[in-house]
Amino acid sequence: MPLYAFLLIGVVVGTYGFLRVLIWVTQDSNEPSVLVEGIPFISPLICMMTEKQNMFTRIWQEHRRPVYTLRLLGKRFYVVNSLSLYQIIQHNTDIISWDPIKAHIADKIMGRRVSTVGSRVVKDFGSPAEGGTVWGLRKTIYPLIFQGRPQLDELNRTAFHAMAAGVEDLAAKGRTTIGMYAWLSHQLFVASLGAVYGPKNPLLRPKNERAWGVFEQGIVILMANILPQISARKIIRTREMLVKELEEYLRDGGQQEASSFAQAILNHFSQQGLGPSDLARGELGNIAGIVTSTMRSVFWLLYHVVSDSRLLALCRTEVAQLARNDSKPEEIDLAHISTKCPVLLAAWHEVQRAHADPIFSRVVMQDFLLDGRYLLKKGASVLIPAGVIHQDSGIWGSTSLEFDHERFLVDGKIKQRSSAVLTFGAGAGMCPGRHFVSVEILQLVAMLIMRFDIQPTEGGKWTMPDKHLILNVAFPTPSPDVEVEVLPRADPVWQFTFTKSQ
Ligand code: HEM
């Protein structure tokens, strides 16, 4: 072997050894043990970007560690795989905090052209401290859309009307073929944003819906913040166009026709001195929270219901029982969909367990001994990949990798919600939109299964598509889309309404 080859091998081995030693001397023995794969400091980043959420489930399957450290250049991540450790974290939100992450997301998604007041609000955004921005939202505004509140029905009713119109348009075509994900995601996009922001919401225009798709794909690039002026030029241009459209909507008073939930949020921020430009930037972040996971989640529920003839029959029977007991026996009242259809609801819970994979991200604000055992150092980040907990056979048994809606049923009734389903988070920061989105998705699936027979065009056989994962989105995108034939059912031709849930 020539000398230069020996030298090269020496340099490579020496560098590798040096990096391993560097990790060893800079890691406290009480911290969670370091997981080294490939090139120290470099490989974890490459794996995160390429494998996304799968990286964490793969490592869990190979190593089964409740918590470990990943070392990146200038950064350490503690990855928490255990439900009990996650629950301790949820009880110590002042120390292991979501705040800096939220502020970072708000800052990077909104862009820097916010006013001084806007910058202050962004900085304060994550802080749940009494009297702060988030405190006010959590105390008085988010509860507006909790179960039993009229504002929740208001949102769900508006969404219902938009989706029912979409279903009727589809039925009017007779036997037809659609891309299931493309059709569903458009319905949820229009219904959710129409319900929250009202009919004048500029994102309802087809041109802006397309622009949203470009912006949404780029959110993760904006968050990475590596030379954004080069890496995210098109995304930034698109964002500025959308901000302008939202600003116009606000200046023209479009929000006066928005839901009372959206009006309460906008008033809350206006009272803190934010003008239309800052508000428009803020709403871009909110819109991401409202639609990104929602648009994807409905696909997986419909897929499982229509691809399993037994489950489909059970769901149809219980949805038919929502039919009105009066002069309109063929009209189904969807206001009770989330309380009176246990099988469909169980399937939705199982979809959350089997498909949702949000990664919770936190920052350690001061040194902390997690569970009295693991030292978490100030400034480090904590990642909790919920997908690992969702697949943990220690929690879900030997069928943890299978789809089985019955795990959420007991004697035909829905079981109490499991604290190990983390699709919507947990504790004080748990998603306030979970009731809205659940009813929305159940309604759309109920309307579709009652109005149509749905079959795959591809050889008539259902094949689960691959999952395209996006780091900042809880549900994967099906890839490729599943093409289906939809055939309107007759006898009866079911109609739908949405009265009052309580
Ligand atoms: C399937 C759809 C959705 C999923 C999976 C989802 C998931 C989540 C999760 C996991 C969190 C907590 C994140 C963390 O702890 O790090 C969260 C927070 C939040 N979500 Fe959702 N969400 C969805 C839809 C919505 C909708 C439709 C709305 C509004 C109508 C909404 C509004 C919010 C808000 C405002 C927060 C912050 C709560 C706080 O800081 O107290 N989400 N969401």
Side-chain angles (χ1 to χ4, degrees):
M1 193 184 287
L3 184 61
Y4 71 82
F6 271 116
L7 281 175
L8 191 65
I9 292 170
V11 169
V12 169
V13 173
T15 310
Y16 181 79
F18 170 75
L19 294 176
R20 289 292 301 240
V21 170
L22 190 63
I23 286 185
W24 187 67
V25 295
T26 54
Q27 183 84 7
D28 193 300
S29 61
N30 292 322
E31 286 180 84
S33 56
V34 182
L35 191 119
V36 183
E37 286 186 322
I39 310 165
F41 298 106
I42 307 287
S43 292
L45 180 65
I46 296 174
C47 289
M48 242 187 257
M49 298 317 286
T50 52
E51 292 178 62
K52 302 180 182 116
Q53 283 91 330
N54 283 343
M55 167 187 173
F56 300 104
T57 33
R58 175 182 58 75
I59 293 178
W60 164 250
Q61 276 152 13
E62 286 166 12
H63 301 275
R64 300 263 158 186
R65 293 193 202 166
V67 53
Y68 56 89
T69 309
L70 283 179
R71 295 290 301 271
L72 272 69
L73 283 175
K75 235 178 147 41
R76 28 162 63 72
F77 289 99
Y78 303 121
V79 181
V80 173
N81 287 329
S82 134
L83 180 61
S84 58
L85 294 181
Y86 171 62
Q87 284 164 344
I88 298 174
I89 289 170
Q90 284 302 111
H91 283 112
N92 289 280
T93 48
D94 288 352
I95 301 172
I96 303 174
S97 173
W98 190 15
D99 313 352
I101 307 282
K102 272 182 151 183
H104 176 82
I105 292 172
D107 185 24
K108 298 305 162 217
I109 293 178
M110 286 161 67
R112 291 192 177 277
R113 277 176 245 169
V114 285
S115 67
T116 319
V117 183
S119 301
R120 179 186 55 70
V121 173
V122 167
K123 236 170 131 195
D124 167 60
F125 188 64
S127 171
E130 195 158 326
T133 309
V134 167
W135 181 82
L137 290 168
R138 285 190 184 159
K139 192 165 168 0
T140 55
I141 297 175
Y142 293 162
L144 288 177
I145 54 168
F146 286 178
Q147 232 154 13
R149 301 297 295 263
Q151 290 88 345
L152 176 63
D153 270 6
E154 175 198 325
L155 279 182
N156 280 130
R157 195 173 295 112
T158 318
F160 159 74
H161 285 300
M163 293 186 296
V167 167
E168 282 316 308
D169 284 351
L170 188 60
K173 292 186 177 148
R175 183 191 287 262
T176 188
T177 299
I178 54 168
M180 201 162 106
Y181 172 67
W183 190 87
L184 290 168
S185 57
H186 168 69
Q187 297 302 318
L188 260 299
F189 183 87
V190 170
S192 308
L193 294 182
V196 175
Y197 295 101
K200 299 220 169 114
N201 176 7
L203 272 101
L204 299 182
R205 286 179 218 133
K207 163 183 95 108
N208 290 338
E209 185 179 342
R210 283 193 299 276
W212 174 263
V214 173
F215 174 69
E216 193 201 74
Q217 292 294 319
I219 289 177
V220 85
I221 300 171
L222 289 174
M223 279 165 60
N225 200 29
I226 303 166
L227 299 176
Q229 295 302 340
I230 299 168
S231 64
R233 273 171 84 121
K234 184 170 173 201
I235 298 152
I236 292 172
R237 230 185 15 249
T238 309
R239 175 184 72 198
E240 294 309 310
M241 188 278 277
L242 290 171
V243 165
K244 242 176 113 212
E245 293 272 324
L246 282 163
E247 204 179 321
E248 250 170 60
Y249 156 83
L250 293 167
R251 287 194 197 283
D252 294 349
Q255 74 277 30
Q256 282 156 20
E257 290 173 58
S259 63
S260 36
F261 173 64
Q263 292 194 28
I265 293 183
L266 288 163
N267 287 341
H268 178 78
F269 284 110
S270 302
Q271 278 160 14
Q272 305 204 6
L274 263 60
S277 164
D278 286 329
L279 290 174
R281 287 178 188 280
E283 285 317 310
L284 266 195
N286 287 339
I287 290 169
I290 293 168
V291 295
T292 48
S293 294
T294 307
M295 285 164 63
R296 290 164 173 89
S297 59
V298 66
F299 170 87
W300 300 103
L301 181 60
L302 185 65
Y303 178 86
H304 283 288
V305 172
V306 293
S307 64
D308 175 342
S309 54
R310 202 180 132 254
L311 178 57
L312 177 62
L314 289 169
C315 291
R316 278 184 173 152
T317 305
E318 63 179 20
V319 174
Q321 283 162 8
L322 297 178
R324 286 172 60 165
N325 211 357
D326 56 16
S327 56
K328 291 184 170 170
E330 275 151 26
E331 190 172 70
I332 291 173
D333 187 353
L334 292 169
H336 304 289
I337 191 83
S338 65
T339 48
K340 296 199 176 152
C341 294
V343 177
L344 184 58
L345 188 57
W348 168 226
H349 284 191
E350 180 64 344
V351 161
Q352 292 178 43
R353 187 199 69 81
H355 294 290
D357 201 349
I359 299 181
F360 305 117
S361 183
R362 307 287 186 260
V363 174
V364 184
M365 307 306 281
Q366 63 187 65
D367 284 4
F368 181 70
L369 206 56
L370 180 63
D371 200 23
R373 287 189 279 172
Y374 304 108
L375 173 67
L376 307 186
K377 282 190 158 178
K378 179 178 172 181
S381 296
V382 175
L383 297 178
I384 304 123
V388 170
I389 294 168
H390 288 168
Q391 292 186 7
D392 187 347
S393 54
I395 301 172
W396 303 103
S398 57
T399 59
S400 65
L401 299 181
E402 290 161 26
F403 186 92
D404 176 11
H405 70 279
E406 289 190 6
R407 70 177 86 243
F408 290 105
L409 288 172
V410 57
D411 298 332
K413 295 203 176 77
I414 194 84
K415 275 189 194 163
Q416 208 186 345
R417 201 183 158 80
S418 164
S419 59
V421 177
L422 299 175
T423 309
F424 292 107
M430 192 171 182
C431 176
R434 62 192 183 278
H435 308 289
F436 168 46
V437 89
S438 295
V439 173
E440 225 186 348
I441 285 165
L442 295 170
Q443 285 187 68
L444 182 55
V445 169
M447 287 193 275
L448 288 169
I449 61 172
M450 300 312 279
R451 279 299 252 125
F452 302 98
D453 285 320
I454 303 175
Q455 286 298 331
T457 50
E458 205 52 41
K461 224 176 141 255
W462 289 103
T463 311
M464 168 109 61
D466 286 342
K467 297 179 180 186
H468 173 72
L469 298 161
I470 309 171
L471 277 170
N472 60 311
V473 181
F475 280 92
T477 314
S479 169
D481 198 353
V482 176
E483 201 172 82
V484 290
E485 186 183 75
V486 289
L487 176 66
R489 301 170 79 216
D491 209 15
V493 175
W494 292 103
Q495 300 298 305
F496 305 95
T497 186
F498 188 104
T499 57
K500 243 173 126 204
S501 66
Q502 298 294 314

